[in-house]
Amino acid sequence: ELELVESGGGSVQAGGSLRISCAVSISTLCMAWFRRVPGKEREGVASIYTRGSSAYYSDSMKGRLTISQDNAKNEVYLQMDSLEPADTAMYYCAAGNTYYDHCRLRLYDYKYWGQGTQVTVSP
């Protein structure tokens, strides 16, 4: 069974940075980060095509994110910079597959989900 474990969340002040990690037990073509802000539905943050490392970023955080991978370790990372209070959310790692050479941020494309890691940004 495919399992995902997130880590690296925490509390930072506005303008700070965090790098969160996701370890997956079985390699998949697509890895992604979603987040759930209190009172809102889950939304896509970033995705990566693990065979070629092409990435996509959400418009709301574009320019403040870098998604990367270490295929030897089956790990995916999300570097978040210039964090804002609006970024406070539970961040979830997700895994899925694709027939194409890219990975979208459609919620239903991802079959496997981690338990999440909390990111809190104070003013």
Side-chain angles (χ1 to χ4, degrees):
E1 184 69 26
L2 193 151
E3 297 179 357
L4 305 95
V5 180
E6 302 100 330
S7 62
S11 181
V12 298
Q13 288 190 301
S17 298
L18 281 175
R19 191 181 80 151
I20 54 178
S21 303
C22 176
V24 61
S25 61
I26 302 174
S27 178
T28 60
L29 289 178
C30 292
M31 298 293 298
W33 290 95
F34 290 76
R35 70 180 184 182
R36 189 165 197 166
V37 176
K40 299 177 66 176
E41 299 295 322
R42 290 189 186 188
E43 61 180 354
V45 176
S47 64
I48 187 168
Y49 180 68
T50 61
R51 297 290 180 86
S53 72
S54 61
Y56 173 81
Y57 299 99
S58 169
D59 289 340
S60 64
M61 298 184 73
K62 195 169 186 177
R64 302 187 289 125
L65 300 172
T66 303
I67 187 169
S68 60
Q69 64 181 349
D70 185 338
N71 285 331
K73 297 181 179 180
N74 281 348
E75 293 183 345
V76 177
Y77 313 99
L78 184 67
Q79 177 71 37
M80 301 184 287
D81 300 313
S82 300
L83 286 165
E84 306 168 356
D87 297 320
T88 295
M90 184 72 74
Y91 285 74
Y92 298 91
C93 183
N97 282 302
T98 180
Y99 291 110
Y100 312 106
D101 61 353
H102 63 277
C103 302
R104 299 186 180 186
L105 282 170
R106 298 182 299 191
L107 192 63
Y108 58 83
D109 282 345
Y110 295 88
K111 184 177 181 180
Y112 306 99
W113 294 83
Q115 295 299 305
T117 185
Q118 178 68 37
V119 172
T120 301
V121 185
S122 60

